Amino acid sequence: MTNNVFAPTPPMGWNSYDYYDTTVNEEQVRANARVMAERLKEWGWEYIVIDIQWYAKNAGSMRGRFQYIPFGPVEMDAWSRLQPDPERFPSSQGGKGFWPLADYIHSLGLKFGIHIMRGIPRIAAHVHGKILGHNETADMVADPASVCWWNPDMYGVRDCPGGQAYYDSIIKMYADWGVDFIKCDDICNTDHWTPNSEKAFARSFEIEMISRAIEKSGRQIVLSLSPGPAVIGKAWHYQTYSNMWRITDDFWDDWELLKAMFPRCEQWQDHVFPGSYPDCDMLPLGYIGAGFGDERLTRFTRDEQKTMFTLWCLMGSPLMMGGELTKLDDWTMFILTNWDVLDMLPCRPKQLYRNDSSAAWTALDPDSGEKYVVLFNLADEPQHLSASVRDIWPRTIAGIDLWEGRRTEFTDGAVTADVAPHGCAAFRIASTAKPWEDQQ
């Protein structure tokens, strides 16, 4: 996969999951797309991604008992390929699939994405469904021993010609629909209990099959792998066959989850390259949780929101807004449209230090030469934080605060700041004329 062609910069967009869970419909997708086009597109936000179970009928109707209705009815064509539920996505009726919706989103100057589960529908295997372009049926290519532990919809696909033909057929269909982004689930890590084991990576051949199918389709489709945590020993594989891969399980608006992202980012900092990105997961900002029966404004404090957004941009993580865009408030808009912070996305990150109460990172933009230093307060009380940068920049330096816009000159070879609990201080660095020796 020529990753730098598919995604030369980290993808930025909106995903339906954090607000809608399994219940999003066409009208809601269109409404969110219009907000993105009108208010966010100029800052680089461009992907509209429909998350899990767009093919499921009655999705969300048993939310009190099941997130995913066990073996519930799904919409499927004659070739064992899942189709949009026509009740929720009426423009798909008549075999049109997502083409009309994708066409609308493209007309707004945006890109269109969908979530898929690894594998072939279980119901297709049970009824011996046909596979386009191959004489084997779904029961022959399905692996009944390979199932997702948290979702009942699919069997894994065997590594065989019929299995490749099935993946080729669905990816070609998505390409014909106009899909620009595929989030494939239950594939980055398939073993929740031992996430860094070989077992967690046992279905890597399915990643390769999907990647081959994308290349065969002739369409540039970004491939995103979920869920995490990704297996660090297999970084080379993710980089070769995908564009982004989750380094965490589902991320929500909880400080402990955000704090836990710092060691994950430390682990993955050397694997950020154009076209392939460790993915810190969606941004639970603004209003979230409605489809889960818990609509709320994010529980993150404003300082925690700054910390999250800064860390994601510093790491070059893809940015997928999880909140409902039609309820976008001024503060969330301020977070999402901070050019100074967004400018860190193409940078190469490097952690300077981390302990239980604080962390410091630097970043370098290899193209512009811009340099950054960020101080993170991981403690529950305010702190005066400092990071030595004399070995990196042997001159007096000035910093422009990325969130406040203030200019500060730093002395004694250190970047320092008073930082709020769970907050951060982020600076773009500029050298001044005086070498250190002249000031001693």
Side-chain angles (χ1 to χ4, degrees):
M1 177 175 286
T2 52
N3 299 33
N4 61 332
V5 174
F6 283 76
T9 58
M12 298 169 59
W14 172 83
N15 180 290
S16 64
Y17 184 76
D18 281 1
Y19 188 82
Y20 291 101
D21 186 25
T22 60
T23 67
V24 73
N25 63 38
E26 181 167 354
E27 180 181 353
Q28 293 159 344
V29 172
R30 287 175 180 252
N32 277 272
R34 286 192 294 270
V35 175
M36 179 174 287
E38 294 167 3
R39 303 187 63 186
L40 294 171
K41 183 173 67 172
E42 65 181 288
W43 280 273
W45 301 90
E46 60 178 347
Y47 288 93
I48 295 291
V49 181
I50 299 174
D51 211 273
I52 196 164
Q53 282 206 326
W54 40 265
Y55 48 80
K57 301 177 183 295
N58 307 314
S61 61
M62 300 181 70
R63 193 65 182 83
R65 291 189 64 191
F66 305 110
Q67 182 176 15
Y68 310 109
I69 299 172
F71 313 106
V74 299
E75 189 75 11
M76 188 173 69
D77 73 1
W79 301 106
S80 305
R81 302 178 300 185
L82 295 170
Q83 303 293 306
D85 172 26
E87 290 192 12
R88 285 191 289 150
F89 300 96
S91 71
S92 70
Q93 295 177 18
K96 297 183 183 71
F98 273 131
W99 178 82
L101 181 54
D103 189 55
Y104 174 75
I105 288 170
H106 291 154
S107 76
L108 298 175
L110 303 176
K111 296 180 180 179
F112 178 65
I114 59 172
H115 171 288
I116 66 171
M117 294 296 298
R118 169 183 67 87
I120 193 166
R122 292 191 194 184
I123 185 60
H126 297 167
V127 300
H128 297 197
K130 295 179 180 180
I131 294 174
L132 184 65
H134 205 271
N135 56 7
E136 288 187 321
T137 50
D139 52 305
M140 293 291 100
V141 305
D143 181 355
S146 175
V147 295
C148 175
W149 70 269
W150 48 267
N151 177 279
D153 297 342
M154 315 292 272
Y155 288 128
V157 168
R158 299 181 191 275
D159 188 5
C160 64
Q164 185 66 62
Y166 167 73
Y167 274 129
D168 290 348
S169 73
I170 62 169
I171 300 298
K172 182 60 168 65
M173 178 180 68
Y174 302 152
D176 291 343
W177 286 350
V179 170
D180 305 295
F181 182 105
I182 292 173
K183 174 185 175 182
C184 187
D185 218 333
D186 190 41
I187 198 166
C188 183
N189 178 334
T190 56
D191 187 356
H192 179 76
W193 310 113
T194 54
N196 278 308
S197 70
E198 286 296 321
K199 184 179 177 183
F201 200 64
R203 309 302 293 189
S204 60
F205 65 85
E206 289 196 70
I207 298 174
E208 296 173 25
M209 294 169 82
I210 295 169
S211 179
R212 284 195 294 269
I214 289 174
E215 291 195 65
K216 291 178 184 179
S217 77
R219 186 172 180 85
Q220 293 186 6
I221 301 175
V222 170
L223 178 57
S224 168
L225 307 180
S226 286
V231 181
I232 186 65
K234 302 299 182 180
W236 66 271
H237 192 276
Y238 300 128
Q239 292 166 349
T240 302
Y241 295 104
S242 69
N243 302 107
M244 47 191 278
W245 55 93
R246 282 264 296 277
I247 63 173
T248 179
D249 202 348
D250 286 0
F251 179 82
W252 285 101
D253 51 334
D254 180 288
W255 167 247
E256 292 303 317
L257 294 179
L258 178 51
K259 188 175 181 180
M261 289 304 297
F262 283 86
R264 296 189 191 281
C265 289
E266 177 184 351
Q267 186 179 46
W268 285 96
Q269 64 182 308
D270 295 329
H271 299 283
V272 181
F273 300 102
S276 56
Y277 311 101
D279 178 12
C280 295
D281 200 14
M282 289 177 284
L283 299 161
L285 294 169
Y287 283 90
I288 59 176
F292 297 88
D294 181 27
E295 183 175 17
R296 63 186 184 275
L297 190 62
T298 182
R299 296 189 181 106
F300 280 136
T301 68
R302 289 190 170 187
D303 284 310
E304 290 167 352
Q305 291 174 55
K306 288 181 180 179
T307 290
M308 174 180 61
F309 198 71
T310 303
L311 181 62
W312 268 230
C313 290
L314 174 74
M315 269 296 292
S317 171
L319 303 179
M320 288 290 160
M321 168 62 174
E324 171 66 359
L325 296 184
T326 65
K327 297 187 176 185
L328 195 60
D329 59 284
D330 290 343
W331 172 260
T332 308
M333 185 71 179
F334 167 69
I335 294 288
L336 298 177
T337 59
N338 186 321
W339 269 127
D340 290 327
V341 178
L342 288 168
D343 278 346
M344 289 194 292
L345 274 174
C347 291
R348 299 295 168 264
K350 179 177 176 57
Q351 181 177 273
L352 293 176
Y353 72 80
R354 180 177 61 84
N355 53 47
D356 288 341
S357 63
S358 63
W361 286 72
T362 62
L364 170 68
D365 186 330
D367 295 325
S368 71
E370 293 282 10
K371 303 168 185 176
Y372 300 87
V373 175
V374 184
L375 306 174
F376 294 99
N377 183 359
L378 308 182
D380 298 334
E381 61 280 329
Q383 291 196 88
H384 182 75
L385 299 180
S386 176
S388 174
V389 295
R390 187 167 184 174
D391 291 342
I392 305 171
W393 297 297
R395 293 179 179 273
T396 305
I397 56 175
I400 305 299
D401 189 309
L402 302 186
W403 287 108
E404 304 295 334
R406 294 192 298 263
R407 177 184 173 90
T408 304
E409 189 163 295
F410 300 111
T411 59
D412 300 324
V415 172
T416 62
D418 294 318
V419 186
H422 304 179
C424 68
F427 301 97
R428 180 188 294 111
I429 300 301
S431 295
T432 63
K434 295 181 181 179
W436 289 109
E437 293 77 7
D438 292 349
Q439 301 178 54
Q440 297 177 351

